[in-house]
Amino acid sequence: MAGTIHSLILTPRPAKLLPFAHRIPHFPSKHAAFRFNFQLSRSISKPVKACQQSDQIDGDGKKAHNDSGSVKGLSWAKPLSNFVANNFLPLALVGGVALGMANPSLGCLADTYSLSKFSTFGIFIISGLTLHTGEIIAAAQAWPAGIFGLVSILLFTPYFSRIILQLQLQPPEFVRGLAIFCCMPTTLSSGVALAQLAGANSALALAITVISNLLGILIVPFSISKYIAGGVGVSVPTKQLFKSLVLTLLIPLILGKIFRESFRGVADFVDQNRKLFSKISAVFLSLVPWIQVSRSRSLLLMVKPPVFLVAIGMGVLLHLILLAFNALALKGISAVSGGSRSVFSKEENANAVLLVASQKTLPVMVAVVEQLGGALGESGLLVVPCVAAHLNQIIIDSFLVNFWLRKDLSTDSTKVS
């Protein structure tokens, strides 16, 4: 075929010993050495390679071309697959948002069957399956970082709601909704899933998530009354929220851990396929924005685009402020508590706390708004900017996690080289 290299290997017949070598019984030593070398050189087969470019001619007298064009046509597939693999989580989240906006009927149908609860259940099943006992011990040893995370989520970050209330935006429900969003505990599943993908202390992230949401049932009404409502009575469905947390967080987490410890084959399979389980967890996580956007699409379209863009910008700014606040606080505490020996200086602990302490949960916020009964404005308008803020924080943090992973990969490659 045209353009190919043909290799012709010529192997001579094995050389036979010369007859006179058997007839002469004795030679001087130097002649004996000559005879041995002569026979050896004759007996070793040396392949001879003839390399040339051959152009095969077909029956019409034209050169036959190979399929290099088809190979070049597929050359873009590998870079594309690498890009998708390296950015799977943000692409899945953005895809969920786009699908919800393009065709909300599927997302609404999934919401009627409570698919978001099943996705959260699946995320924490995977968390239990991938949770090593050593990680639990590491989380217990990092308890000061866990305490800071809880204090930041429930006491420090709600104070930012006062700053948000100073903004002038129409409708005013957008501002109040984001202020209420500030008072919420951390996300139920997003922070833990992102911490796992980032290789952070996922057990610490789990502990902060569970405890902050349980304590949030008691603290959130106080925060809203103090910072936002100005004495307006706020009630939270304590029993309902507590039951939901137990069913969607604790039980699947415990079940996953029991399966891991009971069946050695399960633990080995999960450890050997951690990337696969990370992608499954990312798919489960992408179901949340898909369903939320599908449910809120009609409200989103009712809002004027400039106003909605301002609300999105406010949500992005809020999350960046929370990230900056927690990052600076972690750096400062690490410096005053022992430097490199502090639990705050360990990257896996700091990243886990930074992720979960900077996120706010949407389902609890929706439950609280429903209980307000319109005391702070139209419920739908209160929720709309928080939906955007919830999606923004997940997408922003997914890019942050992707940056950390690329940084670790480049560091490892530098060490190897």
Side-chain angles (χ1 to χ4, degrees):
M1 296 177 70
T4 57
I5 303 295
H6 289 278
S7 297
L8 179 63
I9 300 178
L10 303 177
T11 306
R13 294 181 179 226
K16 296 182 180 179
L17 294 177
L18 295 177
F20 69 85
H22 296 281
R23 297 194 188 110
I24 301 175
H26 178 69
F27 279 99
S29 59
K30 61 179 182 179
H31 297 291
F34 170 76
R35 182 183 65 177
F36 174 75
N37 291 335
F38 179 73
Q39 292 175 357
L40 184 62
S41 64
R42 292 285 305 273
S43 62
I44 294 178
S45 301
K46 294 184 179 180
V48 180
K49 295 183 179 180
C51 299
Q52 65 178 7
Q53 283 191 341
S54 64
D55 294 331
Q56 294 182 353
I57 310 296
D58 59 13
D60 297 329
K62 298 180 180 179
K63 291 183 179 181
H65 296 283
N66 60 2
D67 296 334
S68 60
S70 61
V71 174
K72 290 180 180 179
L74 295 176
S75 61
W76 55 268
K78 187 174 182 180
L80 180 61
S81 63
N82 291 336
F83 176 79
V84 172
N86 294 331
N87 302 275
F88 187 81
L89 179 59
L91 289 176
L93 293 172
V94 173
V97 174
L99 181 61
M101 290 297 294
N103 187 7
S105 58
L106 289 175
C108 294
L109 180 63
D111 183 58
T112 58
Y113 290 98
S114 301
L115 188 61
S116 60
K117 292 183 179 180
F118 287 106
S119 67
T120 303
F121 190 93
I123 288 174
F124 281 92
I125 280 280
I126 293 175
S127 299
L129 288 172
T130 57
L131 184 61
H132 291 267
T133 303
E135 293 176 347
I136 300 176
I137 298 173
Q141 293 174 346
W143 63 267
I147 294 296
F148 167 78
L150 292 174
V151 172
S152 176
I153 292 168
L154 298 174
L155 298 180
F156 290 161
T157 54
Y159 186 79
F160 286 96
S161 60
R162 284 193 171 180
I163 300 175
I164 293 175
L165 289 173
Q166 303 304 315
L167 300 174
Q168 300 296 323
L169 185 65
Q170 295 295 328
E173 283 89 347
F174 277 14
V175 177
R176 294 175 194 156
L178 286 174
I180 295 173
F181 192 62
C182 266
C183 298
M184 295 298 112
T186 189
T187 51
L188 299 177
S189 56
S190 306
V192 175
L194 289 168
Q196 287 179 330
L197 292 172
N201 191 336
S202 57
L204 179 61
L206 277 169
I208 295 174
T209 298
V210 174
I211 296 174
S212 68
N213 278 274
L214 292 175
L215 293 178
I217 295 174
L218 303 175
I219 298 176
V220 165
F222 168 77
S223 299
I224 294 177
S225 298
K226 180 178 180 180
Y227 296 122
I228 303 169
V232 176
V234 178
S235 62
V236 176
T238 305
K239 184 177 179 181
Q240 180 182 353
L241 285 176
F242 184 83
K243 181 181 178 180
S244 176
L245 292 174
V246 171
L247 291 177
T248 57
L249 273 71
L250 287 179
I251 290 181
L253 177 64
I254 294 172
L255 286 176
K257 183 61 176 173
I258 290 174
F259 274 114
R260 177 181 179 86
E261 298 300 329
S262 301
F263 305 100
R264 184 62 185 174
V266 172
D268 293 339
F269 178 78
V270 171
D271 290 340
Q272 293 171 4
N273 297 275
R274 292 186 79 91
K275 288 186 177 180
L276 173 62
F277 280 92
S278 295
K279 286 183 171 57
I280 295 174
S281 182
V283 171
F284 282 143
L285 184 59
S286 67
L287 296 178
V288 176
W290 172 50
I291 294 174
Q292 293 292 345
V293 169
S294 298
R295 287 178 53 188
S296 307
R297 182 176 179 271
S298 58
L299 284 173
L300 296 176
L301 295 177
M302 288 173 57
V303 180
K304 294 180 179 180
V307 176
F308 185 62
L309 289 176
V310 172
I312 292 176
M314 289 172 56
V316 171
L317 182 61
L318 171 62
H319 186 59
L320 293 178
I321 290 174
L322 295 183
L323 282 173
F325 168 77
N326 286 308
L328 292 174
L330 287 169
K331 287 287 186 182
I333 296 174
S334 174
V336 301
S337 62
S340 59
R341 298 188 302 273
S342 171
V343 296
F344 294 91
S345 65
K346 293 183 178 180
E347 188 174 337
E348 60 271 19
N349 295 336
N351 290 346
V353 174
L354 180 62
L355 287 171
V356 296
S358 303
Q359 293 187 1
K360 297 295 181 178
T361 182
L362 182 64
V364 177
M365 186 269 179
V366 173
V368 170
V369 168
E370 290 176 353
Q371 297 299 315
L372 290 174
L376 296 178
E378 176 63 34
S379 298
L381 294 177
L382 291 172
V383 171
V384 165
C386 300
V387 173
H390 180 76
L391 301 179
N392 288 334
Q393 67 184 5
I394 299 174
I395 293 173
I396 291 171
D397 288 350
S398 68
F399 281 105
L400 179 61
V401 168
N402 200 50
F403 169 76
W404 288 341
L405 293 176
R406 287 179 176 273
K407 182 180 176 183
D408 293 340
L409 185 62
S410 62
T411 302
D412 293 340
S413 62
T414 303
K415 290 180 180 179
V416 171
S417 60

